[in-house]
Amino acid sequence: MNPDIRNLTNSARQDDWAPLLRQAAMAPGKHWADGARCVGENPEFFVLPSDDMTQNPDYVRHAEGEAARRSLRICSACPLPVAARCLVDSLKHDERHGIRAGLLAAEREGLRKAWSRRIDPAAVSAVLSGTYKPLGKHERREVIARFAGDRSLDPEVVARGLGVPRDYLLKLARMHRKKHGMEVPSSVSSSPAG
Ligand code: SF4
């Protein structure tokens, strides 16, 4: 693996995603993959039959032999921002197959789980302000918890940001308050749906 990508992923594994995200942001827009080293290669070379998130990476490397080494060599020559973007996109889309940024799917499992636990304060704030963002499971829970406990938040606005109907958001908030023994904020308790 490219040592620079290794440093970025090591930081991410310690819950510091900023260096990886900074690099990924340097390959912006729809054409971020134009400079990728895998352009023109057969995409099947990057999806190896035995490479699975449940597998031991050493087993996959051994089982796939030269096919794995070839694809990983191509990735290691990929420009750093492109490789970082490739990896971040795979995490955002919860991709469980295929080589990305010189990492087998089997080697990305820890990162994938860590990403799903990650809470991006900017994304949570944006959703609470009514701007739709795709959120991870934990970020979504954070939005619901904040909404359930803050009577100043407008259900219409938060529902729009979350991409759900208002009534469904109110139901989620009720369930959250019940589960956590929270009191109902007064403005919500006075509403018919609160
Ligand atoms: S890092 Fe991603 S974009 Fe670059 S060569 Fe590998 S698979 Fe292609």
Side-chain angles (χ1 to χ4, degrees), residues 4 7 9 12 18 20 23 31 58 64-65 67 72-73 77 86 100 122 135 139 144 146 162 183:
D4 293 326
N7 289 339
T9 56
L20 177 63
Q23 274 298 330
H31 303 291
D58 291 339
E64 300 294 343
L72 294 170
R73 267 199 310 272
C86 179
R100 299 284 182 270
L135 299 180
E139 289 169 330
I144 293 163
R146 296 262 294 271
L162 213 46
E183 290 188 10

Side-chain angles (χ1 to χ4, degrees), residues 38-137:
C38 56
V39 170
E41 299 284 346
N42 185 340
E44 288 182 10
F45 293 162
F46 293 83
V47 186
L48 305 173
S50 67
D51 187 16
D52 182 283
M53 291 225 152
T54 61
Q55 284 291 6
N56 181 321
D58 291 339
Y59 165 77
V60 176
R61 283 173 189 266
H62 178 73
E64 300 294 343
E66 181 52 28
R69 286 192 291 277
R70 183 181 184 281
S71 303
L72 294 170
R73 267 199 310 272
I74 292 172
C75 281
S76 70
C78 201
L80 185 59
V82 175
R85 171 77 188 260
C86 179
L87 176 57
V88 169
D89 277 19
S90 80
L91 297 171
K92 281 184 179 171
H93 296 113
D94 198 28
E95 289 178 2
R96 299 175 187 219
H97 301 281
I99 292 172
R100 299 284 182 270
L103 289 157
L104 298 164
E107 293 170 320
R108 292 202 312 279
E109 178 63 352
L111 279 174
R112 189 185 71 78
K113 285 183 175 167
W115 180 271
S116 76
R117 288 192 301 269
R118 173 177 173 268
I119 294 179
D120 177 358
V124 169
S125 294
V127 167
L128 288 170
S129 306
T131 302
Y132 174 75
K133 297 263 179 201
L135 299 180
K137 187 169 63 179

